Amino acid sequence: MRFGSMGMRIAILAMAYGVALLVGICRAQDGATALLPGRQGEVYVGHRYYLTKGIGWGWIKKPKESWSRAKWVALKEQPDKGLVAPFRQLGARDADHMHEYELVGYFADYKAYDPKFNDLLPVFVILGYKPLGLAKKLDLKPGSRGQISEGTSTASSRADRPIIQQRGTSNDEDE
Amino acid sequence: MMTHWMLRTGLAALLAVAIFPFPEAKAGEYLIVSGGPALKFNEDDKPAPHDRYWANFIDSAITRIAQIKADQPGSLIAWLVYRPAYVERGREMNQDLVREVETRAAALGVKLLWFDRTRQLVNYINRGQDRRQAPIIGFDFFGHSNKACFMFDYSSDVDGGSVSFLHQNQLTAIEKTAFAPNAAARSWGCHSGESYSEAWKKHFGFPMMGAIGKTDYSAGGLPVPSSEGGHWVQ
């Protein structure tokens, strides 16, 4: 049995696809559509916005909604199923700062506490994504109520990297 | 003569018991609460990863339970542990951490109660025993915290965040009468002494000892303040 034969290749591809379906590893990337047995996600648009602190991933809205209706969200990943944030595959947490994505997923029925900003964020369960490229800065402030203001970092090697100063109660501490 | 001797002996015995009472369990229940560890997936690329060791909040709780057992033999103790974080970390480590915790609890002879939601913990505090007969006389929390919140999970479900927590604003969900008036409470987590302790005393009427600054579990046993100038307050 030759490994390189056409029949064998087709068989291996079919088996791999079947295994992927069975274990639910159908991550959407490079334009693929997200598929996951069980709960199906809906399509959203996400604007990644990296902060050095806090759990916010960025803003998410429905495709036809205005960005003014977007939610500042935390992302729920499932690494055991290969369902992870796009930056995980880019090598750095800030690698996709200001990039936009077509996201497939749904909002969890619970919220996440952000200990850095004493904030409560909606949780988006990511099932897949398709990169849409670099986007313009949105006229939005991070935080569930847009309460996180930014300043220019003096500590970062990148001068345009935001640092966070929260108005009111600060919980800018380690846990 | 015999009656006189018996009376003297009896009085002496009563006096001895009054001065040197036998170690006796106090009437009430001790609650030990353990949060869970982060996922390495979420922490390993950070400059200061949390929870490299999965059992920080288990080992420290065991130390505290052993202390209580030694000081107050026969005490009623309940150990409440946040299960989902151990399930997830165990999945990541390919190890059954739930069974590991259960084994340790059995070896210690302590009642272990898993909880998956904050509401379950609050329910146990309020009604896990008849609190008129067995009020809570001691409360210890081992887990992640900031100054305003106990986090039963941290960086497990959501990277850097918590989905199961008891914020100081939620303390009103706990009935004051669940605790004995002279109960002792302590948070062994970071920063609790900077705000949570005050909210605790305001709600329950008795103090909760907490840390100014961070606490460090890495040496094993009970954690110690680790920030410069860090200390315990109540």
Side-chain angles (χ1 to χ4, degrees):
Chain A
M1 190 163 66
R2 280 198 315 123
F3 189 75
S5 74
M6 182 61 76
M8 179 58 74
R9 285 181 190 173
I10 292 170
I12 290 171
L13 281 172
M15 281 171 58
Y17 183 68
V19 168
L21 278 177
L22 279 173
V23 300
I25 303 175
C26 285
R27 185 174 56 241
Q29 47 186 336
D30 300 330
T33 304
L35 295 170
L36 191 77
R39 181 160 185 178
Q40 293 294 304
E42 293 180 58
V43 175
Y44 291 82
V45 178
H47 182 104
R48 168 70 167 148
Y49 197 80
Y50 172 74
L51 298 176
T52 55
K53 293 178 178 174
I55 65 172
W57 173 85
W59 289 277
I60 290 180
K61 69 176 184 75
K62 296 289 277 182
K64 291 183 179 176
E65 283 181 339
S66 156
W67 279 110
S68 64
R69 293 180 59 85
K71 293 177 180 173
W72 178 249
V73 304
L75 220 57
K76 158 75 174 170
E77 303 169 273
Q78 299 172 80
D80 56 317
K81 295 177 181 171
L83 300 171
V84 298
F87 71 80
R88 302 280 187 192
Q89 294 168 329
L90 299 173
R93 288 172 180 262
D94 63 352
D96 59 350
H97 180 59
M98 302 286 277
H99 282 247
E100 288 187 355
Y101 295 92
E102 182 180 292
L103 299 171
V104 177
Y106 58 92
F107 280 94
D109 59 2
Y110 56 86
K111 292 193 172 185
Y113 178 68
D114 186 338
K116 296 296 182 190
F117 298 110
N118 197 33
D119 201 5
L120 211 52
L121 302 190
V123 175
F124 184 79
V125 183
I126 185 168
L127 300 179
Y129 62 86
K130 176 173 128 183
L132 299 176
L134 191 62
K136 289 190 295 185
K137 189 177 190 299
L138 297 176
D139 187 21
L140 297 170
K141 285 185 176 178
S144 65
R145 301 172 306 282
Q147 78 278 27
I148 300 171
S149 60
E150 305 163 36
T152 303
S153 172
T154 54
S156 170
S157 60
R158 294 183 59 172
D160 60 347
R161 178 68 55 239
I163 60 171
I164 304 307
Q165 298 158 335
Q166 188 192 21
R167 296 179 187 129
T169 306
S170 170
N171 286 277
D172 190 10
E173 306 129 353
D174 290 329
E175 294 70 43
Chain B
M1 188 69 172
M2 191 62 160
T3 307
H4 183 64
W5 177 82
M6 285 175 69
L7 188 63
R8 284 175 58 187
T9 307
L11 282 173
L14 280 173
L15 192 62
V17 169
I19 297 172
F20 306 108
F22 294 114
E24 193 175 304
K26 292 179 184 173
E29 184 178 38
Y30 287 91
L31 295 194
I32 312 297
V33 179
S34 291
L39 286 185
K40 291 166 72 67
F41 171 79
N42 287 327
E43 291 294 306
D44 274 357
D45 69 327
K46 294 178 182 173
H50 290 92
D51 303 337
R52 287 180 212 179
Y53 176 52
W54 70 271
N56 282 331
F57 308 135
I58 298 300
D59 291 353
S60 50
I62 286 173
T63 300
R64 178 69 185 121
I65 291 166
Q67 267 185 357
I68 295 168
K69 281 177 163 281
D71 292 345
Q72 300 285 327
S75 292
L76 200 58
I77 304 172
W79 183 20
L80 294 109
V81 183
Y82 182 70
R83 174 165 45 193
Y86 292 91
V87 171
E88 292 305 316
R89 180 66 177 258
R91 195 195 316 272
E92 187 177 58
M93 294 169 62
N94 200 24
Q95 194 177 334
D96 189 346
L97 298 184
V98 169
R99 179 177 290 182
E100 183 67 33
V101 174
E102 288 172 348
T103 301
R104 295 184 190 194
L108 196 60
V110 66
K111 179 168 78 173
L112 171 67
L113 298 167
W114 293 106
F115 69 99
D116 295 351
R117 295 173 186 274
T118 299
R119 185 182 297 175
Q120 294 171 319
L121 172 67
V122 170
N123 283 345
Y124 188 84
I125 292 173
N126 287 339
R127 287 179 286 280
Q129 301 277 353
D130 179 349
R131 294 298 175 207
R132 289 168 300 182
Q133 303 297 320
I136 298 162
I137 53 176
F139 176 91
D140 291 82
F141 169 66
F142 298 90
H144 288 287
S145 56
N146 65 3
K147 67 182 182 183
C149 195
F150 290 169
M151 290 175 273
F152 305 124
D153 76 314
Y154 171 76
S155 217
S156 179
D157 190 278
V158 167
D159 185 3
S162 175
V163 300
S164 185
F165 49 85
L166 184 63
H167 195 277
Q168 64 183 30
N169 294 341
Q170 297 173 299
L171 285 175
T172 51
I174 301 176
E175 293 166 12
K176 297 175 190 178
T177 52
F179 289 87
N182 58 347
R186 186 161 191 164
S187 165
W188 300 86
C190 301
H191 303 289
S192 294
E194 297 166 24
S195 180
Y196 210 105
S197 289
E198 187 181 341
W200 182 281
K201 187 168 185 181
K202 188 176 176 185
H203 178 63
F204 294 112
F206 67 92
M208 183 197 79
M209 191 168 285
I212 301 293
K214 296 171 71 174
T215 57
D216 183 9
Y217 288 74
S218 63
L222 295 173
V224 293
S226 59
S227 300
E228 191 176 342
H231 59 281
W232 299 107
V233 295
Q234 61 178 25

